[in-house]
Amino acid sequence: MTQPAKPQPRRWLLNLAFAAAVLLAAGGLWLALGRRDGPAVYASADFGMGVIEQIPLDADYDYFYEVGGYVVHLQVRDGAIAFLDSQCPDHVCEDFGWLSRPGQWACCVPAGVFVTIEEAES
């Protein structure tokens, strides 16, 4: 009867080093790609005539505004804001989509609402 082959210590160490390298690489990718430590932002809604409201993006919420004879529905969800619904005649504002990065903007011209994403001061 033949005896089973003994595992070679060198091969075991090589496999362990390879597994450790794969785990370290996966951890590095997770830290690099999985983190969203961008600048803190908020939405600035300008209703004209000097009326501006700062809307936080860190909590989901629905905002309804009656402006210029129209009801405008802004929704905050998952750190972004969008014109969800507007009673304006063309609904172009709803096509701007979700805003979450500084410099992005959307507007409802008939209602006179202009929303920009701005970086919060540290």
Side-chain angles (χ1 to χ4, degrees), residues 28-118:
L29 282 173
W30 180 76
L31 286 175
L33 301 176
R35 297 179 70 181
R36 295 184 182 197
D37 286 344
V41 295
Y42 65 92
S44 177
D46 187 338
F47 301 99
M49 305 284 289
V51 179
I52 297 174
E53 182 174 345
Q54 293 181 351
I55 301 172
L57 300 180
D58 56 357
D60 295 355
Y61 197 79
D62 289 285
Y63 296 87
F64 296 89
Y65 300 101
E66 188 172 341
V67 185
Y70 303 105
V71 175
V72 175
H73 178 190
L74 294 173
Q75 184 179 65
V76 174
R77 184 178 58 182
D78 299 329
I81 190 168
F83 281 91
L84 200 61
D85 184 39
S86 179
Q87 293 179 340
C88 63
D90 57 12
H91 300 276
V92 172
C93 56
E94 298 166 16
D95 295 332
F96 279 92
W98 293 91
L99 314 174
S100 62
R101 294 186 311 271
Q104 290 182 314
W105 61 273
C107 63
C108 180
V109 175
V113 179
F114 187 76
V115 176
T116 58
I117 303 298
E118 299 183 13

